[in-house]
Amino acid sequence: MTPEQLRTFCLGFNAAVEEFPFTPETSVFKVLGKMFALSALDAEPLKVNLKCDPELAVRLREEHEAIVPGYHMNKRHWNTVTVGGVPEAVLRELVEDSYDLVVAGLPRAERLKLDRP
């Protein structure tokens, strides 16, 4: 997945936006003000921080060399994924899971606005 494909995929989720609160080079993808992905899209290799269920996060780190505890994040809840180090289908699933976890933590009224359970 290229940086532009990653950006397009992240922005394809309902109410997703891209912001730059840290540096102009660091894309932060949010849903209703809550971050679900963070990446320096011009970095080599391309990496993305994604929220993850804590138990799954540990399993993924054991199964994939390209998945490590989240860089500069709460390492219990975030993973850093080297984009080329996992199959694209796995990466897409991880991004979607991150989005879904963040949405699940939103107040019910906000979730209803997104038309997601």
Side-chain angles (χ1 to χ4, degrees):
M1 183 178 284
T2 68
E4 192 54 42
Q5 289 170 325
L6 178 61
R7 171 186 278 124
T8 300
F9 187 67
C10 287
L11 291 174
F13 293 103
N14 204 357
V17 297
E18 180 181 22
E19 297 180 357
F20 301 89
F22 304 118
T23 69
E25 298 83 23
T26 304
S27 295
V28 176
F29 298 95
K30 295 181 176 183
V31 56
L32 300 180
K34 301 292 184 182
M35 178 172 55
F36 69 91
L38 177 143
S39 180
L41 294 173
D42 60 349
E44 289 283 334
L46 179 60
K47 296 181 180 186
V48 60
N49 284 0
L50 300 168
K51 191 163 188 157
C52 192
D53 171 78
E55 290 180 20
L56 178 59
V58 171
R59 260 197 334 268
L60 288 167
R61 293 171 197 163
E62 292 170 353
E63 294 171 8
H64 300 277
E65 194 174 301
I67 301 177
V68 297
Y71 181 71
H72 283 296
M73 307 293 277
N74 179 327
K75 292 172 182 10
R76 178 169 155 73
H77 295 278
W78 289 84
N79 279 337
T80 297
V81 181
T82 302
V83 171
V86 297
E88 187 170 327
V90 171
L91 178 62
R92 287 178 177 274
E93 185 177 327
L94 294 173
V95 173
E96 185 172 355
D97 287 351
S98 181
Y99 175 87
D100 288 343
L101 278 171
V102 171
V103 168
L106 294 171
R108 184 173 185 270
E110 298 294 314
R111 286 195 313 270
L112 292 174
K113 289 179 192 175
L114 296 173
D115 192 33
R116 291 182 73 92

